[in-house]
Amino acid sequence: MKKVSYLNVNVTGGFWKQKLDMISDVTVDSVYDRFKETHRFDAFDCSWKEGDPDQPHVFWDSDIAKWIEGLAYSLKNKPNDKMVAVADEVISKIEKNRDEHGYYNSHFLVTGERFTDRSEHELYCLGHLIEGAVAYYEATGKRALLDIVCKYTDYVEKIFVKEDSAPFVTPGHPEIELALVKLYELTGEKRYLELSKFFIDKKGNNPKDKPLYRGCNIYYNQDECPVRERQTAEGHSVRALYLYCAMADLAYYYNDKELFEATERCFENIVNRRMYITGATGSTCHGEAFSIDYDLPNRVAYAETCASIALALFAQRMIKLCDDTKYADIVERTIYNGILSGISLDGKSFFYVNPLEIDLDFNKVNTCTENNDHMPITQRLEVFDCSCCPPNVIRFIANIGEYAYTHTEDTLYVHQFMESDSVIDGMKITQKTEYPANGKVEFTVTDCNKKQIKVRIPGWCDSFDLHYDGEAVTEGGYIVITPEDADFSFEVTFDMPVKFIGTNRRVHENAGRVALMRGPVVYCLEGVDNGSDIKNIRINPKGDFTVGEADFLVPSIIGKGYIEPHSDEFYYDITAPVEYEEQSVKFIPYYAFANRGESDLLVWILAFGA
Amino acid sequence: MKKVSYLNVNVTGGFWKQKLDMISDVTVDSVYDRFKETHRFDAFDCSWKEGDPDQPHVFWDSDIAKWIEGLAYSLKNKPNDKMVAVADEVISKIEKNRDEHGYYNSHFLVTGERFTDRSEHELYCLGHLIEGAVAYYEATGKRALLDIVCKYTDYVEKIFVKEDSAPFVTPGHPEIELALVKLYELTGEKRYLELSKFFIDKKGNNPKDKPLYRGCNIYYNQDECPVRERQTAEGHSVRALYLYCAMADLAYYYNDKELFEATERCFENIVNRRMYITGATGSTCHGEAFSIDYDLPNRVAYAETCASIALALFAQRMIKLCDDTKYADIVERTIYNGILSGISLDGKSFFYVNPLEIDLDFNKVNTCTENNDHMPITQRLEVFDCSCCPPNVIRFIANIGEYAYTHTEDTLYVHQFMESDSVIDGMKITQKTEYPANGKVEFTVTDCNKKQIKVRIPGWCDSFDLHYDGEAVTEGGYIVITPEDADFSFEVTFDMPVKFIGTNRRVHENAGRVALMRGPVVYCLEGVDNGSDIKNIRINPKGDFTVGEADFLVPSIIGKGYIEPHSDEFYYDITAPVEYEEQSVKFIPYYAFANRGESDLLVWILAFGA
């Protein structure tokens, strides 16, 4: 199965066109402004010296590289000459300031010894530069950055493989491994693929690779076992998921069954035991890491935006290895929930950490010490000291077209639904849809050269209507259309009722509570709509919940809640059946929370009889 | 209103006789052994020098002083010549090793400058030595320790009041203030009372008194305002409550209305907003402190045993100021729950921190860092580095008789129920009861010289039966018996049904959950009886709950619980009414938790329609 590049998919309207326009019109420039203000662009002058302010950080290059990658993808939607000029200037500075081997890092070029410490993100930064270079070349045809990263990669191959002269073998933060696969895909140079395989094969239990950072053990950066022996998803969640991306890529290109099975074990472990309903992962702030099975705290969720993105990147790669619809289901879960919650509706600000519950009354509880338990911030910020998430959101959303399709010789797979005109392997396919506002998708195909079209039936969907004048069956989670003509059309409407969702009872955090979903969208209650006592609101999952206004692209959901009357009593006898007060409750999409000022938030709602 | 000393109250049987025997037979000796092993007794040799192991800690003296105080009270129940000899030896060492001014502290005598830092617990230790001296004198007639602390106190008065030469004015940890009142009560020396008043009057917003410890602010040790301006209970909960004890004492002796009103505000703030159902307070580990109103986390409850003891000490003092039954209700809540949970049923081990929930599945959740969120230990220990709680439990329980009565010229107040023979102001009163196993108490009075006897109707009690051949009314929370003869008897039976208790809805932690109480005893579910999924068990508060075996002095409670079936699904649609599985549930008294190995624990249970 092959991917279909975003370059082949024109998103023309609906939900994702709105998001693409936001990225093009606002986010690319806004993140540029914040990175400029925080001297991340100045770092490429390589003129910092001891005593100067604003020392370039070891991973600042990756921020800019992801921004370049995101800018490149966004050009498919709209041109942005001003920002392209900025990118060109950055690239020319790298070209000018790199050393004679092709090495480039804005921090180490001005401060010290290179490749001495695997925790220092140098290969991570190179990985992002490679991804940026590939995207920028594909979008603009300019190959300056591509040439830069190829030369730098040759140097890395020399000292890590040929000379084996570096004091460590594998990088502390996986990223270059998956980037090298992209470089191979673009250039066809097998040695890039092999360099990736080298890092992957050497990963884990490697005596030359020391644990990172005081207080972290070998699980933190996936060093506890060789990759093929991996049973569970452990440690820093973004590092882990980038590693699994590369493992999936190599399983694909080398047809490596052991690698595939290891990635599959990690996937299953995550999605059945360690993932929030929003597709977010990495529940603990300690090490920004996967916790143990079923440990999914809502208020102190870590749930980094980059980890949701990384899970989508991983799941999309798994699709190419196996046509089980569960992978695209997870992509869908992340893109409408845990990823989109990471960016404000105006496109300017970001969550690094995405809580599933905010209780403002108790957000700052200590009155006599400076210490406080880790409590996520309640409003998005435009930039962070560690600002990995903002450009990651840009590059992910700007590339959303890539998630719509994959194909084989004889089959076109439709994974995600978005209004679009696409040309795939010579055939044209359009989708007309307001998905996920409703479940109707109209497909028009011309010049069909495939034997079948497989349309994913979303995992959340129990029934659908198909209008097609021809042969169609349901098989393996897909609607399988076998066309009789080169040109034809069909229409699918996935029934999209309000659903209440329970959690496996081993997730003690959610005991007695349910979440509301409609289609792929997870909903929440916010204080601004429902008062600050949302933790006490009970709903009846069998009650009447109706679709309201589409305040945030998809409809809000309106229904009845029940709450005990206010009382001054502290502890009181429950002597008679409690006479609940009714109040209207309004659910909004989780991705839209914290866009109307600071507010209480709740995904998991008390429920009668659930 | 005057107190009735424990010396006047012979506890002869029932619940508290069992506890007194445990203290006499086991705990006094066991804590001695642990303190001996940990070199706390050796410290009185004052022979430690730089380079030696086991440097005496600044507050070790207080551990031994509380142990002496507890030993003294326990002698009323049973003699203990061996431990009395130990105490005598300690006292003779203090006498020998104190300096020429009468100053004694096992740490500072061997290490350094005295009275330079108010955080160093010197006056706190003196306070406990005074309490120990008073108790030991009253129990044994031996006045060596009394003479020691009188001389030491004279020295303190000299440098803190007369000379004003100490670099601080008030101690960091209140304790001496309430101890000086006891010294006054015993000796009749008014200047001890005035020294207490000096410390209390100077407390708060005092420029010479610096905040303690890095990371703590002025709330930590109650320095944020003068005591009479205090509106709420703030900071380190034991420090706060010892302070309020002294404030209540001084309000009593000086008839100080402002002081009384301040203590009353603190009392109300605590019991209506900042107290666990068990009477435990100080919910946050950060500063071992009161948190904001309604912040009562169950799993990470701090709820120090000493703070529950201190709340009882404070409430008992308030009784003398005002005959509102609410104070004795709080004493009762603490003694049957938050205090008693601090000691194991075998009398040997202790909780410093008393969680209201243990979820073993998630007790150690981090796999990749050394960091962990504060999580209370799940089994009691015999000794701690900071081992304030064990001897505090000894002295509190050994003195339990003191909580039964107070009296005025014409009224005897019965506050707590315990099988006992007492002589009060010439009259004899006996109680025969199994309280709190059931609510029946038989009183026999001879030589009655009071105009009335007021028996507290516990706050939890909605109805009772009284058998008395004479005049009796219910008034202000008391049953008021007006005897016609000098000798008479009466019997009260407080109805003691199983009750389910809700919390004010502002305590979001307990939303949708109820606790079970029967009489004054708070119950809990333990995993050992109910399986590890107790967080998911729902009960119906209107269901049938029956009294079972008295495994732990009071009956366990048996009823039905409801739980959703086990499932492999992680997130699942709630498509039909959930078919709950029934399971028998067994509640045991909270004070008995963690006595049968490590187990899950839950006080607040999911409830249908509550």
Side-chain angles (χ1 to χ4, degrees):
Chain A
M1 202 185 294
K2 290 180 185 167
K3 78 171 185 178
V4 173
S5 166
Y6 77 103
L7 291 165
N8 297 75
V9 180
N10 284 318
V11 178
T12 51
F15 189 93
W16 288 106
K17 176 63 175 164
Q18 197 273 357
K19 296 299 173 196
L20 285 171
D21 286 350
M22 173 188 76
I23 295 292
S24 296
D25 296 342
V26 178
T27 315
V28 168
D29 290 60
S30 174
V31 169
Y32 165 74
D33 288 342
R34 298 296 87 73
F35 282 0
K36 179 75 185 158
E37 285 165 10
T38 52
H39 307 283
R40 281 167 165 86
F41 280 97
D42 300 339
F44 288 86
D45 292 330
C46 298
S47 59
W48 183 91
K49 49 190 191 312
E50 201 63 45
D52 286 354
D54 309 311
Q55 185 187 26
H57 193 280
V58 292
F59 53 59
W60 274 6
D61 290 353
S62 71
D63 294 341
I64 306 303
K66 275 188 280 188
W67 177 84
I68 291 172
E69 185 185 350
L71 166 66
Y73 299 144
S74 79
L75 300 175
K76 166 79 178 168
N77 186 50
K78 291 192 183 184
N80 190 337
D81 293 346
K82 191 174 153 209
M83 291 298 118
V84 166
V86 168
D88 286 340
E89 194 187 348
V90 166
I91 293 163
S92 71
K93 285 179 180 174
I94 297 174
E95 195 166 19
K96 178 180 148 214
N97 292 320
R98 62 187 167 155
D99 80 3
E100 67 276 20
H101 308 295
Y103 175 96
Y104 184 85
N105 180 291
S106 296
H107 173 87
F108 285 101
L109 280 175
V110 298
T111 57
E113 292 289 309
R114 302 157 201 181
F115 291 135
T116 57
D117 185 341
R118 63 195 288 253
S119 68
E120 292 292 18
H121 290 77
E122 287 158 289
L123 295 177
Y124 168 82
C125 285
L126 172 55
H128 279 302
L129 281 171
I130 291 170
E131 289 200 89
V134 169
Y136 202 63
Y137 170 76
E138 289 185 331
T140 66
K142 298 178 185 176
R143 55 176 304 134
L145 187 56
L146 191 61
D147 292 338
I148 289 166
V149 299
C150 285
K151 183 170 180 194
Y152 187 178
T153 302
D154 292 346
Y155 176 57
V156 167
E157 185 192 23
K158 176 163 169 271
I159 64 171
F160 279 85
V161 184
K162 292 179 182 164
E163 291 179 358
D164 188 16
S165 60
F168 60 92
V169 183
T170 69
H173 195 318
E175 155 62 24
I176 192 170
E177 301 87 340
L178 71 88
L180 287 166
V181 176
K182 284 192 174 177
L183 194 58
Y184 159 72
E185 288 171 339
L186 178 67
T187 63
E189 287 274 3
K190 190 91 193 266
R191 65 199 174 86
Y192 296 137
L193 194 64
E194 290 187 349
L195 182 55
S196 171
K197 185 167 184 296
F198 169 85
F199 287 129
I200 291 294
D201 287 347
K202 295 285 185 187
K203 179 87 182 168
N205 269 346
N206 194 319
K208 263 175 94 175
D209 284 348
K210 298 288 188 308
L212 304 169
Y213 308 136
R214 208 165 62 88
C216 291
N217 64 29
I218 55 173
Y219 289 90
Y220 174 73
N221 54 314
Q222 299 73 50
D223 280 334
E224 80 278 17
C225 65
V227 295
R228 288 173 185 78
E229 294 171 20
R230 177 161 294 287
Q231 303 297 321
T232 51
E234 301 295 346
H236 186 287
S237 56
V238 178
R239 292 172 198 239
L241 286 159
Y242 284 3
L243 176 69
Y244 309 156
C245 284
M247 287 162 62
D249 281 338
L250 296 179
Y252 177 79
Y253 283 112
Y254 287 97
N255 197 19
D256 185 329
K257 189 158 170 278
E258 268 190 293
L259 260 188
F260 169 71
E261 286 168 354
T263 56
E264 178 67 7
R265 287 193 296 272
C266 293
F267 183 86
E268 287 291 321
N269 177 238
I270 293 167
V271 305
N272 290 316
R273 300 183 173 204
R274 300 187 176 187
M275 180 187 72
Y276 289 98
I277 191 171
T278 58
T281 64
S283 61
T284 176
C285 63
H286 300 297
E288 313 184 293
F290 289 106
S291 184
I292 57 171
D293 289 350
Y294 307 113
D295 181 43
L296 296 166
N298 293 310
R299 272 180 82 200
V300 296
Y302 200 74
E304 186 184 339
T305 304
C306 285
S308 291
I309 289 172
L311 179 57
L313 297 175
F314 172 41
Q316 186 70 12
R317 281 162 171 81
M318 294 299 279
I319 292 174
K320 291 201 301 176
L321 289 159
C322 168
D323 71 355
D324 195 315
T325 55
K326 68 185 178 181
Y327 305 115
D329 282 343
I330 290 296
V331 171
E332 184 174 59
R333 189 181 286 275
T334 61
I335 64 180
Y336 290 111
N337 303 295
I339 293 174
L340 222 46
S341 68
I343 184 167
S344 61
L345 296 175
D346 68 4
K348 284 188 178 169
S349 55
F350 304 88
F351 275 132
Y352 188 109
V353 169
N354 293 268
L356 276 81
E357 178 182 334
I358 296 172
D359 193 338
L360 293 177
D361 284 352
F362 303 107
N363 222 49
K364 281 270 180 198
V365 297
N366 302 307
T367 55
C368 80
T369 74
E370 290 164 8
N371 294 318
N372 205 334
D373 293 313
H374 160 76
M375 204 60 75
I377 58 171
T378 58
Q379 291 282 282
R380 293 175 186 84
L381 300 177
E382 294 196 9
V383 68
F384 302 86
D385 287 344
C386 176
S387 212
C388 47
C389 298
N392 221 355
V393 171
I394 293 176
R395 71 174 186 142
F396 186 85
I397 294 178
N399 189 36
I400 194 69
E402 187 156 313
Y403 295 82
Y405 303 104
T406 61
H407 68 122
T408 63
E409 188 88 2
D410 63 2
T411 305
L412 177 74
Y413 288 86
V414 183
H415 300 296
Q416 305 300 335
F417 308 105
M418 53 189 83
E419 186 146 310
S420 54
D421 299 332
S422 306
V423 181
I424 299 161
D425 200 13
M427 65 182 268
K428 298 192 188 75
I429 181 165
T430 68
Q431 293 186 37
K432 196 162 156 37
T433 184
E434 294 171 353
Y435 193 96
N438 62 59
K440 183 171 160 190
V441 193
E442 297 168 60
F443 292 89
T444 308
V445 181
T446 51
D447 302 331
C448 185
N449 58 11
K450 302 284 183 188
K451 294 202 182 70
Q452 56 184 6
I453 296 176
K454 287 187 164 190
V455 179
R456 178 180 64 99
I457 305 164
W460 53 263
C461 175
D462 299 320
S463 63
F464 60 88
D465 278 327
L466 172 69
H467 292 277
Y468 173 57
D469 294 333
E471 192 187 336
V473 295
T474 298
E475 190 181 276
Y478 293 94
I479 300 165
V480 185
I481 304 275
T482 307
E484 289 156 17
D485 305 309
D487 299 350
F488 59 98
S489 62
F490 60 101
E491 181 187 307
V492 187
T493 303
F494 301 109
D495 292 339
M496 203 180 263
V498 170
K499 282 191 176 189
F500 287 97
I501 308 295
T503 326
N504 189 294
R505 76 185 211 192
R506 295 180 69 179
V507 182
H508 291 170
E509 175 86 5
N510 297 343
R513 294 177 176 272
V514 299
L516 189 157
M517 290 187 75
R518 181 173 171 274
V521 177
V522 174
Y523 282 73
C524 67
L525 295 181
E526 270 206 305
V528 62
D529 299 311
N530 302 288
S532 63
D533 247 350
I534 48 178
K535 199 82 193 277
N536 285 294
I537 293 176
R538 284 88 169 153
I539 56 96
N540 177 357
K542 312 291 169 263
D544 199 22
F545 288 84
T546 57
V547 164
E549 296 293 309
D551 301 331
F552 307 106
L553 295 180
V554 302
S556 50
I557 307 293
I558 312 293
K560 268 187 201 150
Y562 304 87
I563 193 162
E564 68 267 38
H566 263 297
S567 162
D568 287 335
E569 284 187 287
F570 194 36
Y571 296 113
Y572 57 91
D573 296 353
I574 295 175
T575 48
V578 176
E579 296 280 344
Y580 292 101
E581 291 170 356
E582 274 186 27
Q583 73 167 74
S584 174
V585 292
K586 178 179 179 179
F587 289 83
I588 65 161
Y590 170 76
Y591 65 67
F593 88 92
N595 277 284
R596 294 170 294 168
E598 207 173 36
S599 188
D600 290 285
L601 162 72
L602 199 66
V603 170
W604 292 99
I605 319 293
L606 274 181
F608 293 126
Chain B
M1 201 185 294
K2 289 180 183 165
K3 78 170 186 179
V4 173
S5 166
Y6 78 102
L7 291 165
N8 297 77
V9 180
N10 285 318
V11 177
T12 51
F15 189 93
W16 287 107
K17 176 62 177 164
Q18 197 272 356
K19 296 299 174 196
L20 286 171
D21 286 349
M22 174 188 76
I23 295 291
S24 296
D25 296 341
V26 178
T27 316
V28 168
D29 291 60
S30 174
V31 170
Y32 164 76
D33 288 342
R34 298 295 88 72
F35 282 1
K36 179 74 186 158
E37 285 165 11
T38 53
H39 307 283
R40 281 166 164 88
F41 281 96
D42 300 339
F44 289 86
D45 292 330
C46 297
S47 59
W48 183 90
K49 48 189 192 312
E50 202 61 45
D52 286 354
D54 309 311
Q55 185 186 26
H57 194 279
V58 292
F59 53 60
W60 274 6
D61 290 352
S62 71
D63 294 340
I64 306 303
K66 274 187 282 188
W67 177 85
I68 291 173
E69 185 186 352
L71 166 66
Y73 299 143
S74 79
L75 300 175
K76 166 79 178 169
N77 187 50
K78 290 192 184 182
N80 191 336
D81 294 345
K82 190 175 154 206
M83 291 299 116
V84 166
V86 168
D88 287 340
E89 192 188 347
V90 167
I91 293 164
S92 71
K93 285 180 180 174
I94 297 174
E95 194 166 17
K96 179 181 146 210
N97 292 321
R98 62 187 168 154
D99 79 2
E100 68 276 19
H101 309 294
Y103 175 96
Y104 184 85
N105 180 291
S106 296
H107 173 87
F108 285 101
L109 280 175
V110 299
T111 57
E113 293 290 308
R114 301 155 200 183
F115 292 137
T116 56
D117 185 340
R118 63 195 289 253
S119 69
E120 292 292 18
H121 291 76
E122 287 156 291
L123 294 177
Y124 167 82
C125 285
L126 172 54
H128 279 302
L129 282 171
I130 291 171
E131 288 200 90
V134 169
Y136 202 64
Y137 170 75
E138 290 185 330
T140 66
K142 298 178 185 177
R143 54 177 303 134
L145 187 55
L146 190 61
D147 291 339
I148 288 167
V149 299
C150 285
K151 184 172 180 191
Y152 187 178
T153 302
D154 293 345
Y155 176 57
V156 168
E157 185 192 22
K158 177 164 169 268
I159 64 170
F160 280 84
V161 184
K162 293 178 181 165
E163 291 180 356
D164 188 17
S165 60
F168 60 91
V169 182
T170 69
H173 196 317
E175 156 61 24
I176 191 171
E177 301 88 340
L178 71 88
L180 287 166
V181 176
K182 284 192 174 177
L183 194 57
Y184 159 71
E185 289 171 338
L186 178 67
T187 64
E189 286 273 4
K190 190 94 194 263
R191 66 200 174 84
Y192 296 137
L193 194 64
E194 290 186 349
L195 181 56
S196 171
K197 186 167 183 297
F198 170 84
F199 286 130
I200 291 295
D201 288 346
K202 295 285 186 187
K203 179 86 182 170
N205 269 347
N206 194 320
K208 265 175 93 175
D209 284 347
K210 298 288 190 305
L212 304 169
Y213 308 137
R214 207 165 63 90
C216 291
N217 63 28
I218 55 173
Y219 288 90
Y220 173 73
N221 53 314
Q222 300 73 50
D223 280 335
E224 79 277 18
C225 65
V227 294
R228 288 173 185 77
E229 295 171 20
R230 177 161 292 289
Q231 303 297 319
T232 51
E234 301 295 346
H236 187 285
S237 56
V238 178
R239 292 172 199 241
L241 287 159
Y242 283 3
L243 177 68
Y244 310 157
C245 284
M247 288 163 61
D249 281 339
L250 296 178
Y252 177 78
Y253 283 111
Y254 288 98
N255 197 18
D256 186 329
K257 189 159 169 279
E258 269 190 293
L259 260 188
F260 170 71
E261 286 168 355
T263 56
E264 178 67 8
R265 287 193 296 272
C266 292
F267 183 86
E268 287 291 320
N269 177 239
I270 292 167
V271 305
N272 290 315
R273 300 183 173 202
R274 299 187 178 188
M275 180 188 71
Y276 289 98
I277 192 171
T278 58
T281 63
S283 62
T284 175
C285 64
H286 300 298
E288 312 184 294
F290 289 106
S291 184
I292 57 170
D293 289 350
Y294 307 113
D295 180 43
L296 295 166
N298 292 311
R299 271 180 82 200
V300 295
Y302 200 72
E304 186 184 339
T305 304
C306 285
S308 292
I309 290 173
L311 179 57
L313 297 175
F314 171 40
Q316 187 70 11
R317 281 161 171 82
M318 294 298 280
I319 292 174
K320 291 200 300 174
L321 289 159
C322 168
D323 71 355
D324 195 315
T325 55
K326 68 184 179 182
Y327 305 115
D329 281 342
I330 290 297
V331 171
E332 184 175 60
R333 189 183 287 275
T334 61
I335 64 179
Y336 290 110
N337 303 294
I339 293 174
L340 223 46
S341 67
I343 184 166
S344 61
L345 296 175
D346 68 4
K348 284 189 179 169
S349 56
F350 304 88
F351 275 133
Y352 187 110
V353 169
N354 293 269
L356 276 80
E357 178 183 335
I358 295 171
D359 194 338
L360 293 177
D361 283 353
F362 304 107
N363 222 49
K364 282 270 181 198
V365 298
N366 302 307
T367 55
C368 80
T369 74
E370 289 163 9
N371 294 318
N372 204 336
D373 293 312
H374 160 76
M375 205 58 75
I377 59 172
T378 57
Q379 291 282 281
R380 293 175 186 84
L381 300 178
E382 296 197 8
V383 70
F384 303 85
D385 286 343
C386 176
S387 211
C388 48
C389 299
N392 220 355
V393 171
I394 293 177
R395 72 174 185 141
F396 186 85
I397 294 178
N399 188 37
I400 194 70
E402 187 155 314
Y403 294 82
Y405 303 104
T406 61
H407 68 123
T408 63
E409 188 87 3
D410 63 3
T411 305
L412 178 75
Y413 288 87
V414 183
H415 300 295
Q416 304 300 336
F417 309 105
M418 53 190 82
E419 185 146 309
S420 54
D421 300 331
S422 306
V423 181
I424 299 160
D425 200 14
M427 65 182 270
K428 298 192 187 74
I429 181 166
T430 68
Q431 293 186 37
K432 195 163 158 38
T433 184
E434 294 172 352
Y435 193 96
N438 62 58
K440 183 171 159 191
V441 193
E442 297 168 61
F443 293 88
T444 309
V445 182
T446 52
D447 302 331
C448 184
N449 57 13
K450 302 284 183 188
K451 293 201 185 70
Q452 55 184 7
I453 295 175
K454 287 188 164 188
V455 179
R456 178 179 63 99
I457 305 164
W460 54 262
C461 176
D462 298 320
S463 63
F464 59 87
D465 277 327
L466 172 68
H467 292 278
Y468 173 56
D469 293 333
E471 194 187 333
V473 295
T474 299
E475 191 181 278
Y478 294 93
I479 301 166
V480 184
I481 304 277
T482 307
E484 287 154 20
D485 305 307
D487 300 350
F488 60 96
S489 63
F490 61 99
E491 181 189 307
V492 188
T493 302
F494 301 110
D495 292 338
M496 203 179 261
V498 169
K499 282 190 176 189
F500 286 97
I501 308 295
T503 326
N504 189 294
R505 77 185 210 193
R506 296 180 68 180
V507 181
H508 291 170
E509 175 85 4
N510 297 343
R513 293 177 177 270
V514 299
L516 189 158
M517 289 186 76
R518 181 172 171 275
V521 177
V522 174
Y523 281 74
C524 67
L525 295 181
E526 271 206 304
V528 62
D529 300 311
N530 302 288
S532 64
D533 247 351
I534 49 179
K535 199 83 191 279
N536 285 295
I537 294 176
R538 284 86 168 154
I539 56 96
N540 177 358
K542 311 291 168 264
D544 199 21
F545 288 85
T546 56
V547 164
E549 296 294 307
D551 301 330
F552 307 105
L553 295 180
V554 302
S556 51
I557 308 292
I558 311 294
K560 268 187 198 149
Y562 303 88
I563 194 162
E564 68 266 39
H566 264 297
S567 163
D568 287 335
E569 284 188 285
F570 195 35
Y571 297 112
Y572 56 91
D573 296 355
I574 294 175
T575 48
V578 177
E579 296 279 344
Y580 293 100
E581 291 171 356
E582 275 186 25
Q583 74 167 74
S584 175
V585 292
K586 177 180 179 179
F587 289 83
I588 65 161
Y590 170 75
Y591 64 67
F593 88 90
N595 276 284
R596 294 170 293 167
E598 206 173 37
S599 188
D600 291 285
L601 163 72
L602 200 66
V603 170
W604 293 99
I605 318 293
L606 274 181
F608 294 125

